[in-house]
Structure formats: C-alpha cells, structure tokens
C-alpha cells in the first residue's frame, strides 16, 4: 500500500511541471534590450525552453536592425496576484541584449 501511495504522489507531482512559451513584452531599440514574459501559477513549476526563447528574442532583435540576441541576468519573478500573504500568480521576465549589426542583403546597392 505504501508503494502505491508513493507512486501516486510521484505522478501527482510530475503533472505540476509545465513548459511555458515566453512572449515579447518590451523591446527598446535604443538600448537593444528585449524582455520576454511568461506566467506561472502558484502550484506550478513552470520553465522555458532556452532555444525557443532565444529564437524569439533574436527575431525581435533582427526586426530592430540587430544581428542576434544573448540572454543576460537572472529571470525576474514578480507577484501579479496576491491573496492575503500568499502569491497566487507570478510573472517571470527574461532579459536579452541585442548584439551586432544586421546587414540587409535586400537593400539596393548604390555605388558612387
């Protein structure tokens, strides 16, 4: 019976880990910083895929004229819903720094 309870608890806890898709929240062209956000509920162990998140940030950086993106700093967790003294929902922000200058091959070449 004890083995059955342990197996049941493991299955219950395994369902709490969720992969989230981070979306662009802010993009600053001047400083070259892109911030991505995703939400995390109270009993969830949410995480993000580094490869997909880096691709999203790189695409946003390229739309601003930069070549690529590199993550910096640690994820910032901010409580978005409080009930009493318990945080029910968190917003996680991931920051990326845009690097390099993107050369646009489609631009008309003018020689003088």
């Amino acid at each position: 019976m004890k083995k059955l309870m342990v197996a049941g608890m493991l299955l219950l806890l395994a369902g709490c880990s969720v992969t989230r898709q981070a979306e662009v929240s802010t993009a600053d062209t001047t400083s070259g910083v892109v911030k991505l956000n995703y939400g995390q509920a109270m009993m969830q162990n949410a995480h993000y895929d580094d490869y997909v998140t880096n691709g999203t940030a790189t695409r946003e950086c390229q739309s601003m004229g930069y070549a690529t993106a590199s993550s910096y700093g640690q994820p910032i967790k901010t409580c978005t819903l409080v009930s009493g003294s318990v945080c029910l929902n968190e917003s996680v922000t991931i920051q990326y720094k845009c690097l390099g200058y993107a050369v646009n091959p489609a631009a008309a070449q003018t020689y003088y």
Side-chain angles (χ1 to χ4, degrees):
M1 183 67 173
K2 187 176 182 180
K3 289 182 182 180
L4 183 62
M5 286 186 61
V6 170
M9 291 299 285
L10 287 176
L11 286 174
L12 181 65
L13 291 175
C16 297
S17 182
V18 184
T19 301
R20 294 287 186 181
Q21 175 71 34
E23 298 178 358
V24 177
S25 61
T26 59
D28 186 11
T29 307
T30 307
S31 64
V33 175
V34 174
K35 294 182 181 180
L36 305 171
N37 277 351
Y38 69 89
Q40 178 175 329
M42 183 172 76
M43 296 298 285
Q44 287 182 344
N45 183 17
H47 59 278
Y48 59 93
D49 185 3
D50 288 327
Y51 183 76
V52 174
T53 307
N54 191 9
T56 303
T58 299
R59 189 170 45 252
E60 186 66 27
C61 287
Q62 288 174 347
S63 72
M64 295 188 303
Y66 293 94
T68 188
S70 176
S71 66
Y72 75 95
Q74 296 294 319
I76 301 167
K77 293 184 178 183
T78 307
C79 189
T80 56
L81 181 61
V82 178
S83 176
S85 63
V86 178
C87 181
L88 298 177
N89 197 9
E90 287 182 330
S91 174
V92 180
T93 304
I94 309 154
Q95 298 183 58
Y96 281 85
K97 178 73 176 164
C98 299
L99 304 170
Y101 175 74
V103 178
N104 186 358
Q109 299 293 330
T110 306
Y111 299 100
Y112 295 100

